[in-house]
Amino acid sequence: MKALLLAAGKGSRIQTETSGNPKSLLPLGDTTLLGHSLRHFERAGITDIVVVSGYQRHSIMNFLSENWAGNVEVVFNPHYETTNVLYSFWLALPYLGGSDFIFLHADTVFEEAVLTRLLSHDPQETFVFAVDDHDCEEEEMKVVTAGGFITEVNKTMDPKACDGEFLGVARIAGEHIPSLRGYAERLFEGGEFQSFFERAVQGLIDQEDLKVAVTDVSGLKWREVDFPEDYSAAREFFG
């Protein structure tokens, strides 16, 4: 099992807090947003990580060299200003080596139980999203579920129609890497370089009947840090 962390973005919506540093290196307690997740992975026995960097990549590399004792591959996305998460994800796929992996937005922080539930989820279900069942707002990555599986995932659906929010934390078996890579490349061929990772997942649900199971993490502490108020909440939870 590996972990894939996407940390290429600049974090323009929270520049008042970052002081020009990468968002994932915002202080949190005695570490950073990124460091908080690294500690969870270490305690879970995950020793191999792949991190996609972009903005201020040397700051990311320096932090990893000082705070991660396991194996790490740092992948550079030179187009971080004109692409979105799916492109960073695609760049990282060759470095996963076909392994099962934990997918994570590096600006999402969560309590250890979220990772524990993902790792203990039925191993026969090979694609698993951590989902919080709560009332959603416009900005959130919303999901619709049926029978314990995702049927729809996007930011654009009516919040009243959703069944919860995808945290941006998932467990994915290596067997799905070829189909994810292929669908991403079809989107890029069509010029969709600003697509989210979830765009490819939705395409595979619709076209290839991909089964994406749900691990319910409702009630557990977590936060995706996009805005200053998110950062304040993360510090209240974990600072």
Side-chain angles (χ1 to χ4, degrees):
M1 177 73 70
K2 295 185 178 182
L4 168 58
L5 300 94
L6 304 181
K10 187 175 183 179
S12 58
R13 294 178 293 184
I14 197 170
Q15 287 183 358
T16 55
E17 304 289 343
T18 60
S19 301
N21 295 311
K23 180 169 61 170
S24 61
L25 296 187
L26 279 168
L28 188 66
D30 63 349
T31 183
T32 64
L33 304 185
L34 176 58
H36 190 261
S37 298
L38 293 180
R39 289 177 177 177
H40 291 338
F41 294 141
E42 183 178 21
R43 285 193 288 268
I46 295 173
T47 59
D48 287 41
I49 63 173
V50 178
V51 180
V52 182
S53 64
Y55 176 71
Q56 294 279 353
R57 68 186 181 100
H58 291 295
S59 296
I60 298 287
M61 294 171 68
N62 290 338
F63 181 83
L64 290 167
S65 69
E66 296 172 2
N67 293 274
W68 181 252
N71 301 316
V72 59
E73 190 76 52
V74 182
V75 182
F76 179 48
N77 177 0
H79 307 295
Y80 66 89
E81 291 192 280
T82 57
T83 61
N84 211 320
V85 176
L86 183 61
Y87 188 77
S88 289
F89 175 76
W90 175 77
L91 288 174
L93 292 180
Y95 299 90
L96 292 172
S99 296
D100 298 351
F101 62 99
I102 297 295
F103 168 94
L104 173 65
H105 294 288
D107 61 356
T108 297
V109 290
F110 50 92
E111 64 176 286
E112 193 170 356
V114 170
L115 182 60
T116 300
R117 289 190 188 182
L118 267 179
L119 291 173
S120 61
H121 192 95
D122 184 351
Q124 295 187 30
E125 294 177 346
T126 57
F127 208 123
V128 187
F129 275 9
V131 172
D132 188 343
D133 181 1
H134 68 91
D135 293 335
C136 294
E137 299 180 2
E138 294 291 343
E139 174 65 21
E140 296 166 349
M141 186 59 71
K142 298 173 282 293
V143 301
V144 175
T145 65
F149 293 90
I150 304 289
T151 59
E152 188 174 353
V153 53
N154 59 61
K155 286 191 172 186
T156 59
M157 75 173 74
D158 183 346
K160 295 179 181 178
C162 81
D163 294 314
E165 180 181 2
F166 172 44
L167 276 61
V169 188
R171 194 195 77 205
I172 304 171
E175 66 188 70
H176 297 293
I177 291 176
S179 58
L180 286 164
R181 182 181 64 241
Y183 198 90
E185 290 170 356
R186 292 199 294 275
L187 292 174
F188 300 151
E189 287 171 357
E192 296 190 44
F193 291 98
Q194 282 289 337
S195 293
F196 292 104
F197 161 76
E198 293 83 2
R199 171 74 172 85
V201 174
Q202 184 67 62
L204 293 173
I205 291 172
D206 294 339
Q207 298 183 16
E208 299 186 15
D209 196 29
L210 174 67
K211 301 298 184 186
V212 180
V214 170
T215 282
D216 185 1
V217 297
S218 304
L220 298 181
K221 294 184 177 67
W222 69 278
R223 199 75 176 197
E224 181 181 8
V225 180
D226 284 327
F227 300 100
E229 56 266 31
D230 298 324
Y231 184 40
S232 295
R235 286 184 295 177
E236 183 177 344
F237 286 156
F238 305 113

